Amino acid sequence: MKSSQLKHLAFYGGAISLVLGLFTVVTSYGEAHLKTAPGIEGSYVLKLPMSATCGGGTPVMLTLQQSGVYVAAALVNPALPRSQTALKSMTLSGQWRDRQLNLTGKVPVGVLCGNPKDKAAIAVKIEGVIAPQQKSSKPSPLTGTLSLNSALSSLMAQRQPVLKEESK
């Protein structure tokens, strides 16, 4: 009887040692080779181009939320208090890889044109380059192209500094 208990004890001790060894190997690999994506989260001010839909020149806020390489975004018109509800729905989605940002979605015309009663939606596509935010440097701009219902225009958006209340 003691022999079988010794065999069980040896088996379980070996299994526990193997699991601890594998955990140590995986942890050291992860610490050495796996890094999180740098943050681009925040608000960016951009001016909309002249278009047939809107008069143009309207400043809007592009608000980005990031989870690794996946990005959710909303275009918000600061002049319209109701457009703040767009932040709840995050109507644009896409990815950020190798400094390349790609977002697509639909945004209400009212948010873009300053007419809150207009409920129609415009197809929006943003492709651009943005450098990750470094702790010691000034905020990085977003440069690229903006497509509103397939009408392309250049895009330059400046990142707004994060207020202490907003920081995590």
PDB file of all heavy atoms in Angstrom, residues 134-153:
ATOM      1  N   GLN A 134       4.757  59.624 -27.377  1.00  0.00           N
ATOM      2  CA  GLN A 134       5.878  59.418 -26.469  1.00  0.00           C
ATOM      3  C   GLN A 134       5.644  60.286 -25.242  1.00  0.00           C
ATOM      4  O   GLN A 134       5.132  61.395 -25.347  1.00  0.00           O
ATOM      5  CB  GLN A 134       7.199  59.813 -27.145  1.00  0.00           C
ATOM      6  CG  GLN A 134       7.463  59.076 -28.439  1.00  0.00           C
ATOM      7  CD  GLN A 134       7.583  57.572 -28.268  1.00  0.00           C
ATOM      8  OE1 GLN A 134       8.094  57.114 -27.261  1.00  0.00           O
ATOM      9  NE2 GLN A 134       7.091  56.819 -29.220  1.00  0.00           N
ATOM     10  N   LYS A 135       6.034  59.826 -24.090  1.00  0.00           N
ATOM     11  CA  LYS A 135       5.761  60.541 -22.847  1.00  0.00           C
ATOM     12  C   LYS A 135       6.425  61.910 -22.799  1.00  0.00           C
ATOM     13  O   LYS A 135       5.878  62.851 -22.267  1.00  0.00           O
ATOM     14  CB  LYS A 135       6.213  59.705 -21.653  1.00  0.00           C
ATOM     15  CG  LYS A 135       5.348  58.492 -21.445  1.00  0.00           C
ATOM     16  CD  LYS A 135       5.781  57.710 -20.244  1.00  0.00           C
ATOM     17  CE  LYS A 135       4.906  56.467 -20.105  1.00  0.00           C
ATOM     18  NZ  LYS A 135       5.291  55.641 -19.000  1.00  0.00           N
ATOM     19  N   SER A 136       7.610  62.035 -23.385  1.00  0.00           N
ATOM     20  CA  SER A 136       8.347  63.290 -23.269  1.00  0.00           C
ATOM     21  C   SER A 136       8.148  64.234 -24.445  1.00  0.00           C
ATOM     22  O   SER A 136       8.603  65.368 -24.411  1.00  0.00           O
ATOM     23  CB  SER A 136       9.840  62.980 -23.133  1.00  0.00           C
ATOM     24  OG  SER A 136      10.284  62.302 -24.288  1.00  0.00           O
ATOM     25  N   SER A 137       7.486  63.794 -25.502  1.00  0.00           N
ATOM     26  CA  SER A 137       7.349  64.642 -26.688  1.00  0.00           C
ATOM     27  C   SER A 137       5.974  65.295 -26.757  1.00  0.00           C
ATOM     28  O   SER A 137       5.060  64.941 -26.036  1.00  0.00           O
ATOM     29  CB  SER A 137       7.602  63.819 -27.949  1.00  0.00           C
ATOM     30  OG  SER A 137       6.569  62.871 -28.114  1.00  0.00           O
ATOM     31  N   LYS A 138       5.854  66.248 -27.701  1.00  0.00           N
ATOM     32  CA  LYS A 138       4.555  66.893 -27.888  1.00  0.00           C
ATOM     33  C   LYS A 138       3.615  65.943 -28.627  1.00  0.00           C
ATOM     34  O   LYS A 138       4.064  64.980 -29.256  1.00  0.00           O
ATOM     35  CB  LYS A 138       4.729  68.203 -28.641  1.00  0.00           C
ATOM     36  CG  LYS A 138       5.198  68.057 -30.062  1.00  0.00           C
ATOM     37  CD  LYS A 138       5.289  69.409 -30.723  1.00  0.00           C
ATOM     38  CE  LYS A 138       5.594  69.209 -32.204  1.00  0.00           C
ATOM     39  NZ  LYS A 138       5.473  70.419 -32.944  1.00  0.00           N
ATOM     40  N   PRO A 139       2.296  66.186 -28.573  1.00  0.00           N
ATOM     41  CA  PRO A 139       1.340  65.290 -29.216  1.00  0.00           C
ATOM     42  C   PRO A 139       1.605  65.127 -30.715  1.00  0.00           C
ATOM     43  O   PRO A 139       1.966  66.070 -31.408  1.00  0.00           O
ATOM     44  CB  PRO A 139      -0.006  65.983 -28.972  1.00  0.00           C
ATOM     45  CG  PRO A 139       0.219  66.826 -27.777  1.00  0.00           C
ATOM     46  CD  PRO A 139       1.643  67.264 -27.847  1.00  0.00           C
ATOM     47  N   SER A 140       1.417  63.906 -31.206  1.00  0.00           N
ATOM     48  CA  SER A 140       1.664  63.581 -32.604  1.00  0.00           C
ATOM     49  C   SER A 140       0.440  63.906 -33.463  1.00  0.00           C
ATOM     50  O   SER A 140      -0.682  63.624 -33.061  1.00  0.00           O
ATOM     51  CB  SER A 140       1.973  62.096 -32.744  1.00  0.00           C
ATOM     52  OG  SER A 140       3.033  61.740 -31.919  1.00  0.00           O
ATOM     53  N   PRO A 141       0.655  64.455 -34.673  1.00  0.00           N
ATOM     54  CA  PRO A 141      -0.477  64.724 -35.561  1.00  0.00           C
ATOM     55  C   PRO A 141      -0.866  63.478 -36.350  1.00  0.00           C
ATOM     56  O   PRO A 141      -0.097  62.527 -36.477  1.00  0.00           O
ATOM     57  CB  PRO A 141       0.069  65.801 -36.503  1.00  0.00           C
ATOM     58  CG  PRO A 141       1.533  65.528 -36.556  1.00  0.00           C
ATOM     59  CD  PRO A 141       1.904  64.991 -35.195  1.00  0.00           C
ATOM     60  N   LEU A 142      -2.069  63.500 -36.873  1.00  0.00           N
ATOM     61  CA  LEU A 142      -2.571  62.471 -37.772  1.00  0.00           C
ATOM     62  C   LEU A 142      -2.582  63.073 -39.164  1.00  0.00           C
ATOM     63  O   LEU A 142      -3.207  64.116 -39.377  1.00  0.00           O
ATOM     64  CB  LEU A 142      -3.981  62.046 -37.352  1.00  0.00           C
ATOM     65  CG  LEU A 142      -4.813  61.245 -38.340  1.00  0.00           C
ATOM     66  CD1 LEU A 142      -4.167  59.891 -38.626  1.00  0.00           C
ATOM     67  CD2 LEU A 142      -6.216  61.044 -37.804  1.00  0.00           C
ATOM     68  N   THR A 143      -1.905  62.462 -40.114  1.00  0.00           N
ATOM     69  CA  THR A 143      -1.889  62.944 -41.489  1.00  0.00           C
ATOM     70  C   THR A 143      -2.336  61.818 -42.397  1.00  0.00           C
ATOM     71  O   THR A 143      -2.033  60.654 -42.144  1.00  0.00           O
ATOM     72  CB  THR A 143      -0.481  63.411 -41.917  1.00  0.00           C
ATOM     73  OG1 THR A 143       0.432  62.337 -41.738  1.00  0.00           O
ATOM     74  CG2 THR A 143      -0.027  64.607 -41.109  1.00  0.00           C
ATOM     75  N   GLY A 144      -3.061  62.155 -43.460  1.00  0.00           N
ATOM     76  CA  GLY A 144      -3.525  61.138 -44.388  1.00  0.00           C
ATOM     77  C   GLY A 144      -4.626  61.651 -45.272  1.00  0.00           C
ATOM     78  O   GLY A 144      -4.629  62.811 -45.688  1.00  0.00           O
ATOM     79  N   THR A 145      -5.603  60.771 -45.562  1.00  0.00           N
ATOM     80  CA  THR A 145      -6.722  61.134 -46.427  1.00  0.00           C
ATOM     81  C   THR A 145      -8.040  60.885 -45.709  1.00  0.00           C
ATOM     82  O   THR A 145      -8.157  59.976 -44.898  1.00  0.00           O
ATOM     83  CB  THR A 145      -6.709  60.327 -47.742  1.00  0.00           C
ATOM     84  OG1 THR A 145      -6.774  58.936 -47.433  1.00  0.00           O
ATOM     85  CG2 THR A 145      -5.484  60.630 -48.568  1.00  0.00           C
ATOM     86  N   LEU A 146      -9.012  61.710 -46.034  1.00  0.00           N
ATOM     87  CA  LEU A 146     -10.361  61.611 -45.504  1.00  0.00           C
ATOM     88  C   LEU A 146     -11.297  61.454 -46.683  1.00  0.00           C
ATOM     89  O   LEU A 146     -11.229  62.228 -47.639  1.00  0.00           O
ATOM     90  CB  LEU A 146     -10.714  62.873 -44.708  1.00  0.00           C
ATOM     91  CG  LEU A 146     -12.162  63.037 -44.254  1.00  0.00           C
ATOM     92  CD1 LEU A 146     -12.514  62.017 -43.189  1.00  0.00           C
ATOM     93  CD2 LEU A 146     -12.395  64.439 -43.730  1.00  0.00           C
ATOM     94  N   SER A 147     -12.153  60.463 -46.639  1.00  0.00           N
ATOM     95  CA  SER A 147     -13.119  60.231 -47.700  1.00  0.00           C
ATOM     96  C   SER A 147     -14.521  60.382 -47.132  1.00  0.00           C
ATOM     97  O   SER A 147     -14.904  59.675 -46.209  1.00  0.00           O
ATOM     98  CB  SER A 147     -12.935  58.819 -48.272  1.00  0.00           C
ATOM     99  OG  SER A 147     -13.971  58.507 -49.155  1.00  0.00           O
ATOM    100  N   LEU A 148     -15.274  61.352 -47.676  1.00  0.00           N
ATOM    101  CA  LEU A 148     -16.675  61.555 -47.301  1.00  0.00           C
ATOM    102  C   LEU A 148     -17.513  61.200 -48.519  1.00  0.00           C
ATOM    103  O   LEU A 148     -17.468  61.910 -49.529  1.00  0.00           O
ATOM    104  CB  LEU A 148     -16.943  63.004 -46.887  1.00  0.00           C
ATOM    105  CG  LEU A 148     -16.188  63.523 -45.665  1.00  0.00           C
ATOM    106  CD1 LEU A 148     -16.454  65.004 -45.479  1.00  0.00           C
ATOM    107  CD2 LEU A 148     -16.573  62.748 -44.431  1.00  0.00           C
ATOM    108  N   ASN A 149     -18.265  60.093 -48.440  1.00  0.00           N
ATOM    109  CA  ASN A 149     -19.035  59.596 -49.598  1.00  0.00           C
ATOM    110  C   ASN A 149     -18.157  59.525 -50.846  1.00  0.00           C
ATOM    111  O   ASN A 149     -18.512  60.032 -51.905  1.00  0.00           O
ATOM    112  CB  ASN A 149     -20.271  60.456 -49.857  1.00  0.00           C
ATOM    113  CG  ASN A 149     -21.408  60.095 -48.926  1.00  0.00           C
ATOM    114  OD1 ASN A 149     -21.405  59.055 -48.276  1.00  0.00           O
ATOM    115  ND2 ASN A 149     -22.389  60.973 -48.852  1.00  0.00           N
ATOM    116  N   SER A 150     -16.984  58.950 -50.721  1.00  0.00           N
ATOM    117  CA  SER A 150     -16.021  58.711 -51.810  1.00  0.00           C
ATOM    118  C   SER A 150     -15.318  59.963 -52.313  1.00  0.00           C
ATOM    119  O   SER A 150     -14.553  59.887 -53.263  1.00  0.00           O
ATOM    120  CB  SER A 150     -16.685  57.995 -52.984  1.00  0.00           C
ATOM    121  OG  SER A 150     -17.223  56.768 -52.551  1.00  0.00           O
ATOM    122  N   ALA A 151     -15.569  61.135 -51.761  1.00  0.00           N
ATOM    123  CA  ALA A 151     -14.854  62.350 -52.147  1.00  0.00           C
ATOM    124  C   ALA A 151     -13.600  62.458 -51.275  1.00  0.00           C
ATOM    125  O   ALA A 151     -13.688  62.676 -50.072  1.00  0.00           O
ATOM    126  CB  ALA A 151     -15.737  63.575 -51.960  1.00  0.00           C
ATOM    127  N   LEU A 152     -12.432  62.285 -51.889  1.00  0.00           N
ATOM    128  CA  LEU A 152     -11.161  62.282 -51.152  1.00  0.00           C
ATOM    129  C   LEU A 152     -10.643  63.687 -50.905  1.00  0.00           C
ATOM    130  O   LEU A 152     -10.768  64.560 -51.751  1.00  0.00           O
ATOM    131  CB  LEU A 152     -10.094  61.506 -51.929  1.00  0.00           C
ATOM    132  CG  LEU A 152     -10.178  59.989 -51.867  1.00  0.00           C
ATOM    133  CD1 LEU A 152      -9.126  59.381 -52.786  1.00  0.00           C
ATOM    134  CD2 LEU A 152      -9.990  59.488 -50.468  1.00  0.00           C
ATOM    135  N   SER A 153     -10.028  63.878 -49.759  1.00  0.00           N
ATOM    136  CA  SER A 153      -9.339  65.127 -49.441  1.00  0.00           C
ATOM    137  C   SER A 153      -8.225  64.808 -48.457  1.00  0.00           C
ATOM    138  O   SER A 153      -8.230  63.769 -47.802  1.00  0.00           O
ATOM    139  CB  SER A 153     -10.305  66.156 -48.855  1.00  0.00           C
ATOM    140  OG  SER A 153     -10.826  65.678 -47.641  1.00  0.00           O
TER     141      SER A 153
END
